[in-house]
Amino acid sequence: MTALAGAAASTLDLLQLAPPGWGGNLLRGLANSVLIAAGAFGLGLGLGTLGAFGKLYGGPVLRDLLAVYTTVVRAVPELVLILILYYAVTDSVNQILLAFGYERIQISGLAAGIAVLGVVQGAYATEVLRGAIQSVPVGQIEAARAMGMPPGLLARRVTLPLMLANALPGLANLWLIATKDTALLAVVGFAELTQQTRQAAGATKAYFTFFMAAGLLYLLLSILSTWGFARLERRARRGLPEVRG
Amino acid sequence: MPDPRDARETVTDMPGQAAPARDEAIRVEGLRKSFGRLEVLKGVSLTAREGDVVAVIGGSGSGKSTMLRCINFLEHPSAGRIVIGGETVAMKSDGSPADRRQIERIRQSLGMVFQQFNLWTHRTILENLIEVPVHVLGVPRAEAVARAEALLARVGLAEKAQSYPAFLSGGQQQRAAIARALCMAPRAMLFDEPTSALDPELVGEVLAVIRDLAAEGRTMVLVTHEMKFAREVASHVIYLHNGVIEEEGPPDALFGNPQSDRLKQFLKSVG
Ligand SMILES: Nc1ncnc2c1ncn2[C@@H]1O[C@H](COP(=O)(O)OP(=O)(O)O)[C@@H](O)[C@H]1O
Ligand SMILES: [Mg+2]
């Protein structure tokens, strides 16, 4: 009984926010993970939008280049991509800097993480958005054109909302993947949640406690995200009858 | 601009005098259109004056939709001229509109009704009606809503203002689509087989709305397979075959006394 109480107390001590507890580190790690995931997701959306329009309406050269991009990124394991992109990008930036007589710089882990994961996300987002754009009913766009709606307004008020209804499930998936992929950045030493957890666990030998705590944080993030996306999707699908299997 | 209804009254009031020529609302001159190597329209001309109801009939694939879509440049003519309300649409050499502002303005003056209704599924019926008036034409919202509600009442959909299109029958959707086109106070209406996608029992309610519009002197070009209806409402009928006007004239002459063998055969096949 006392042993159990003692174990519970020491677990709580370990997870205290202020040192010597490691809870603060874990939460900072979580914040970093969310920041990277959000940045990467945003960058991925931007790249994906360009990629989707390029694939649908671009010239043959652009389409070939985009095909190479999406194929390569989706074929190579993400961990390998991260290592390649991270080291290759940091290295080439420094090569260029040295060549021009500047000092070697330390590239911020945050910027590199966002860039690397964003490029990966962009490849998947290209395919999600391309499918969503293709599934917008042409007739509804034509109705807007026939009423003299200018292209910008048409994209904003007709095409985009109709597209979103089809894109949101795929985008929600991508966001969840982004949050989990941030864990891969632990291999390049970035202080995100997994890396912080490993450090805490290594220092205290309380592996079970810390990895359970990290697991719960990831779960919480995922549950909140799923709830948020479900709300967005319900709003985007307003007006469409529910399809039940 | 003279009200077309005045012109009509003049005719009935003073039968002895020639009616003053009404303004041209739509003129199509020598319209040609090819898709790749397939020539779909081979030189088609038509004129709709204010208050005219021009019915276009013809077999499937004869080019009726293409002709109608060239009038508001949803398709780009390969050759020819489109004049709306006396204003020639400026075209580039490839047939695309040369001036985006001009074509947008002209499209706003032509209410198009599609076979598949094409209401925006993410907006309620009322939102569908006020979308262009509020966001494109800059009509104050309250004014646009009042006008939209009046038009919905007129097509018998007052209670459906807050519904989404997917929850309406085909006939209701098409009546809403007509009201949406009317919301822009267009100079003329373009109908592309407005009842062809409807179950037979829903055709009548849509035709009633169109009949009502014709009766108030609205200018329209109406592509239709409803021969009885065309004969009833049209002031002029055009029979299109393989991209050329095979025969045209007043409805009684065209339906009652067709000249060409093709038209005779067509009329026999449809009814
Ligand atoms: N976008 C297009 N691309 C290629 N061919 C087309 C296109 N639109 C129509 N056509 C062809 O043009 C011909 C006339 O079509 P359409 O104007 O729709 O006929 P209708 O409305 O009289 O049935 C048909 O042979 C059709 O296949
Ligand atoms: Mg057609």
Side-chain angles (χ1 to χ4, degrees):
Chain A
M1 197 60 217
T2 41
L4 208 62
S10 76
T11 298
L12 284 181
D13 283 343
L14 284 173
L15 292 174
Q16 290 249 313
L17 289 184
W22 293 80
N25 286 23
L26 255 55
L27 287 185
R28 272 192 295 281
L30 176 67
N32 275 335
S33 290
V34 171
L35 203 61
I36 291 200
F41 184 70
L43 179 59
L45 269 185
L47 290 175
T49 306
L50 294 179
F53 278 100
K55 270 200 169 184
L56 288 172
Y57 309 111
V61 179
L62 180 62
R63 281 212 296 263
D64 284 350
L65 285 175
L66 287 168
V68 170
Y69 167 51
T70 54
T71 309
V72 168
V73 169
R74 294 193 300 167
V76 180
E78 261 128 79
L79 184 58
V80 177
L81 273 177
I82 284 166
L83 291 170
I84 293 176
L85 287 172
Y86 185 77
Y87 289 115
V89 169
T90 351
D91 213 50
S92 50
V93 167
N94 275 320
Q95 294 282 342
I96 293 168
L97 285 175
L98 289 176
F100 284 92
Y102 292 96
E103 294 293 306
R104 181 175 282 277
I105 56 157
Q106 184 69 42
I107 290 183
S108 121
L110 185 72
I114 288 177
V116 170
L117 288 185
V119 167
V120 175
Q121 287 263 314
Y124 290 91
T126 296
E127 295 306 326
V128 168
L129 294 176
R130 182 175 68 137
I133 292 171
Q134 276 179 315
S135 63
V136 170
V138 209
Q140 294 188 43
I141 295 177
E142 237 169 31
R145 284 176 58 212
M147 295 177 87
M149 207 184 264
L153 199 69
L154 196 155
R156 192 155 56 78
R157 298 204 44 97
V158 181
T159 314
L160 213 64
L162 287 171
M163 182 187 103
L164 216 54
N166 300 312
L168 272 175
L171 293 180
N173 240 335
L174 278 184
W175 163 252
L176 289 181
I177 291 172
T179 60
K180 286 190 288 189
D181 276 3
T182 55
L184 297 173
L185 292 172
V187 299
V188 293
F190 181 67
E192 46 65 60
L193 179 55
T194 297
Q195 200 258 4
Q196 289 290 308
T197 307
R198 252 181 15 192
Q199 227 171 41
T204 58
K205 303 293 173 221
Y207 291 100
F208 182 77
T209 303
F210 284 114
F211 279 103
M212 277 305 278
L216 281 175
L217 287 178
Y218 279 119
L219 184 63
L220 200 68
L221 178 58
S222 148
I223 289 173
L224 276 177
S225 311
T226 307
W227 174 80
F229 270 104
R231 275 184 63 115
L232 280 179
E233 205 183 320
R234 213 169 323 123
R235 161 124 186 99
R237 293 191 66 81
R238 72 192 188 282
L240 300 179
E242 276 182 57
V243 187
R244 287 236 164 82
Chain B
M1 183 194 328
D3 188 324
R5 277 158 287 181
D6 294 344
R8 286 199 161 175
E9 275 162 25
T10 316
V11 179
T12 43
D13 288 353
M14 290 173 278
Q17 292 185 3
R22 287 162 290 129
D23 284 351
E24 280 180 4
I26 297 172
R27 183 144 53 92
V28 175
E29 280 176 17
L31 175 64
R32 290 172 174 275
K33 173 65 184 174
S34 301
F35 291 109
R37 304 185 57 184
L38 175 71
E39 190 171 37
V40 173
L41 296 174
K42 303 163 184 166
V44 173
S45 302
L46 75 83
T47 302
R49 291 181 178 280
E50 301 279 352
D52 279 354
V53 176
V54 176
V56 181
I57 60 172
S60 165
S62 57
K64 305 180 298 296
S65 295
T66 305
M67 187 205 76
L68 205 65
R69 294 161 57 82
C70 280
I71 293 178
N72 63 4
F73 280 72
L74 287 183
E75 301 288 357
H76 302 160
S78 306
R81 211 156 76 97
I82 308 290
V83 187
I84 307 296
E87 183 181 352
T88 302
V89 181
M91 280 161 55
K92 292 190 201 158
S93 56
D94 65 353
S96 61
D99 176 356
R100 186 167 67 76
R101 290 280 158 71
Q102 184 199 27
I103 192 62
E104 283 168 8
R105 184 162 39 74
I106 279 178
R107 282 172 177 166
Q108 284 153 19
S109 73
L110 298 169
M112 180 134 182
V113 175
F114 299 86
Q115 190 173 335
Q116 301 295 339
F117 334 132
N118 296 342
L119 292 169
W120 297 304
T121 48
H122 59 303
R123 305 209 185 280
T124 63
I125 297 300
L126 185 71
E127 287 168 349
N128 264 275
L129 264 66
I130 64 171
E131 176 69 21
V132 171
V134 170
H135 292 97
V136 182
L137 307 178
V139 177
R141 193 179 185 85
E143 198 178 302
V145 167
R147 190 176 159 71
E149 281 172 345
L151 280 165
L152 282 178
R154 178 169 170 193
V155 300
L157 290 174
E159 321 88 84
K160 297 292 181 187
Q162 303 305 331
S163 304
Y164 284 97
F167 298 93
L168 269 58
S169 74
Q172 291 172 328
Q173 288 190 52
Q174 191 61 298
R175 284 184 280 145
I178 294 172
R180 176 174 69 173
L182 289 172
C183 263
M184 303 189 305
R187 164 191 289 273
M189 300 279 289
L190 308 173
F191 289 91
D192 191 2
E193 298 198 32
T195 59
S196 292
L198 298 177
D199 292 335
E201 74 269 23
L202 301 178
V203 169
E205 62 190 61
V206 172
L207 293 186
V209 169
I210 301 174
R211 183 182 293 118
D212 190 36
L213 293 175
E216 71 169 14
R218 273 211 187 255
T219 314
M220 51 179 99
V221 179
L222 167 70
V223 174
T224 186
H225 275 304
E226 301 284 334
M227 297 304 149
K228 243 181 75 220
F229 184 68
R231 186 169 188 169
E232 176 195 338
V233 300
S235 51
H236 188 80
V237 182
I238 287 175
Y239 170 58
L240 207 58
H241 179 80
N242 274 342
V244 293
I245 294 179
E246 184 82 14
E247 198 170 330
E248 63 180 313
D252 284 334
L254 208 89
F255 290 111
N257 186 22
Q259 300 298 305
S260 68
D261 290 339
R262 285 219 177 89
L263 177 56
K264 282 179 197 163
Q265 223 172 8
F266 174 72
L267 290 176
K268 214 176 286 167
S269 73
V270 294

